[in-house]
Amino acid sequence: MRAALEAVGTVLPAAGDDTSSTGLAAAAAGRALAAGAVDPDDVGMIVNAAVYHDDNVMEPANATFVQRALGANLQVGVVKGAGTLAFDLTNGGAGLLTGLQVVAGFVETGDIAHGLVVTGDVDPTPGVSQGLAHVPAGAAVLVGPGTGEEGFAAFCERSYPEFADLYRASLDWDGRHHAVHVHEDQTWAERWLGCAEDALKAFLDDRGLAPAEVDLLVTAPPQPDAGAELCRRAGLDPARLVLPPDAGGPLHTAGLGMALAAAMAEPAWERARRVLLLAGGAGITITIAEYRGRATR
Amino acid sequence: MPALQVRDVVGGMRRVLVPGQEFSLVQHATEQATTRVAAVGIALPERRQTTDELLATRRHRFPLPFQQHTGIAERRVCGPGEDSGTLAVGAARDALAHWGGDPAGLGMVVSCSITRYRGEDAYDFEPGYGFAVKEAIGAHDALHFDVNNACAGMLTGVHLVDNFIRRGVVRSGLVVSGERITSLAANAARTIRSYTSKQLASLTLGDAGAAVVLERAPDGAPGLFSEVTTYAEHADLCIGRPDPDAPGARMDTDGSGIHRAAILSAPRTILRSMERNGFTPDDVDHVIPHQTSVPAIRAGIKHTERKVGTYAKNVIYNVEKFGNTSSTTHFVALHECLNDGRVNEGDRVVMLCYASGLTVGVTGFPIDGIAVDHARSA
């Protein structure tokens, strides 16, 4: 049995909305659960892939606050089965897809019935952060047992450590306060594109796939026009590319969730037999998943 | 080691995984494998700080018989050139040195550090420590990521890697953590004004690194079992965040509240996990609890014994020497016990974690050829 995508929830806050990391992730998760008609107590795993949390809370896992907001198996003695495991999993901009790889595995083995990967990156040190460009956004992806062949068929991750210094972020003490510092080299976006191209070509080759066999490519590159260029370089039809909607600025880990929500809303989603999800982040690390689509049910 | 044959039952594709040439594609194994603990490594700072020395740094002096109340006599503290990263890499290299496998063949590297301090002042977000450790040890092709689940981090990492091994996705994986966490103790010592301070628990902390190599067990061999559960109604009982007034972090803990919640939830989780995995409490030779303080461990074990209906044969403590080393406590303790002969081949070990969240976890496994350096005791 494969693990399949059940629903995606997203949140782009308007003025006056809750822009806390937990609030964004929980709101997106609530939408995903409602769309998937899944009870929070049936979610066996909640993985939070956000890198930048409210107040930079280090413990407990920020996923715990999302679990509490959802009301999933909160109390000792009244949990369903083994209850819910909530933890944070980070892998930079690739974190959401890495989280999906983990959750999909537990669904495949039957250890959990449903799993959620959530995210909600915010500015943890507003007013003093430097270089933090992403806009606050929430996304949540609900995964459960697939039907027929539908579901995740393969994941692959590649790293390019020679470019590790092109994107670095840390929380630094400057003698008066803590502040987030993000260093993004001017060549970062171009290097990201080159690494994504290399990883995508290698993935297609490894899976024995021709570019024409890819019905949809879902990704969230650092710069929107990089998506079409990636398709061109890898020989994919740019018409099959799905990017996140314009959010008024770069999206961090939520970007792939936003793109996935857009893809699942397209008529092409129902017809797709093979979908590739591609995410990348600092390292440079590129993660790719092959998803057998609804048409394979 | 024999090659592992894995089949994608849906796609009908067959592929042979050769040790040293692993990859991170998901494949669907026809039969679930089991996981064994193959090697354990640690890295400890050289510097020892006694509880008296820590208390002497307090700004506000009041009677505080901390050593009598916790049993903690000393802990290790990072010195110049030591931080979360060096401890994590050091522990990983220690484990790999005894494993015997090629680090390049590791299928995945999972870092579980709560504290990702580079030096004293910088906390790293991106790239993550999983990436940094795998590159430092030469596991370039390993899947990597960071897990943060407070003091349950390493056992959560073990839980995840076990799933990848059982599915046949990887043959081996490294779970590692380096904790430079005594900045919390130093900050607490500067600010606590009374015995009821919420930062009091921070004085228990110690620095350490630990790593464990997991690999596919031989067919038919008993494997590891694991269960980790979060009871999020208790999420606020212990919060760690950057200290607003100093480098490093601070942790505010409702000590009695989290202890009460932990001992109420642990027996149920332990029993359920053992039952699901065909274990009975009588099967367990050694219990390694999360190392918080001697009285807290004793009270927790006593309560669990009453609920479970049997006595633990051997409960392992090392908190007196190392304090609470957060996510690394279990494997620091196991490493020491394997070295000094308290835990031996064929013994069955259960690790219990109680962490902020509230997260309760159980990991059980037999001692089956675990490689450590018997010449170098912790």
Side-chain angles (χ1 to χ4, degrees), chain B residues 84-85 87-88 113-116 129 176-180 208-210 327-328:
Chain B
S84 303
L87 292 174
S113 301
I114 305 168
T115 58
R116 298 204 292 257
Y129 266 29
V176 61
S177 180
E179 300 286 19
R180 178 185 180 145
S327 66
T328 69

Side-chain angles (χ1 to χ4, degrees), chain A residues 232-259:
Chain A
R232 192 189 64 76
R233 293 186 187 184
L236 273 66
D237 180 357
R240 298 180 178 185
L241 174 70
V242 184
L243 299 173
D246 183 3
L251 294 158
H252 199 49
T253 52
L256 186 73
M258 295 275 180

Side-chain angles (χ1 to χ4, degrees), chain A residues 1-3 45 51-52 55-62 64-65 67-68 72-79 81-93 98 101-102 104-111 124 148-149 152-162 164 167-173 176-178 180-181 203 206-207 252 281-285 287 292, chain B residues 8-11 13 15 23-28 32 114-118 121-128 131 134-135 140-151 156 159-161 163-164 166-167 169 181 184 227-236 238-249 251 261 264-266 268 272 276 326 355-359:
Chain A
M1 178 197 66
R2 289 197 167 120
M45 185 174 281
V51 178
Y52 304 99
D55 299 327
N56 287 304
V57 166
M58 300 168 181
E59 72 167 284
N62 287 266
T64 309
F65 300 118
Q67 180 189 354
R68 185 174 63 180
N73 290 316
L74 300 184
Q75 293 180 305
V76 177
V78 294
V79 299
T84 301
L85 167 59
F87 61 94
D88 295 345
L89 181 156
T90 52
N91 195 11
T98 306
Q101 182 173 10
V102 168
F106 280 84
V107 172
E108 283 181 22
T109 53
D111 288 307
E149 287 194 31
F152 288 101
F155 287 88
C156 187
E157 180 183 274
R158 280 177 182 257
S159 296
Y160 302 85
E162 62 271 32
Y167 191 101
R168 288 195 176 276
S170 56
L171 182 74
D172 302 325
W173 174 256
R176 289 187 302 138
H177 43 55
H178 292 279
V180 173
H181 290 141
F203 185 82
D206 194 42
R207 296 296 287 171
H252 199 49
I284 292 173
T285 294
T287 300
R292 303 276 172 87
Chain B
D8 179 338
V9 288
V10 178
M13 189 179 82
R15 186 160 188 161
F23 64 109
S24 54
L25 280 173
V26 167
Q27 301 290 336
H28 301 260
Q32 279 205 358
I114 305 168
T115 58
R116 298 204 292 257
Y117 282 110
R118 177 170 31 87
D121 299 341
Y123 181 97
D124 284 324
F125 290 124
E126 303 182 63
F131 171 83
K134 79 158 182 141
E135 291 301 327
H140 177 68
D141 293 331
L143 168 68
H144 65 88
F145 54 87
D146 286 30
V147 162
N148 192 334
N149 201 15
C151 294
T156 302
H159 188 62
L160 304 187
V161 172
N163 181 271
F164 276 76
R166 283 193 287 123
R167 287 186 292 129
V169 179
I181 201 165
L184 284 73
E227 187 166 317
V228 193
T229 304
T230 310
Y231 300 103
E233 68 169 333
H234 304 296
D236 288 330
C238 181
I239 307 273
R241 68 186 85 196
D243 191 305
D245 302 315
M251 183 173 73
L264 284 175
S265 58
R268 191 183 300 266
R272 185 181 59 220
R276 277 161 53 101
S326 58
S356 307
L358 172 84
T359 299

Side-chain angles (χ1 to χ4, degrees), chain B residues 54-62 186 188-193:
Chain B
L54 173 62
L55 295 183
T57 67
R58 288 181 300 156
R59 192 173 288 165
H60 307 286
R61 300 300 179 94
F62 57 92
R190 277 195 289 270
T191 55
I192 57 173
R193 293 173 178 270

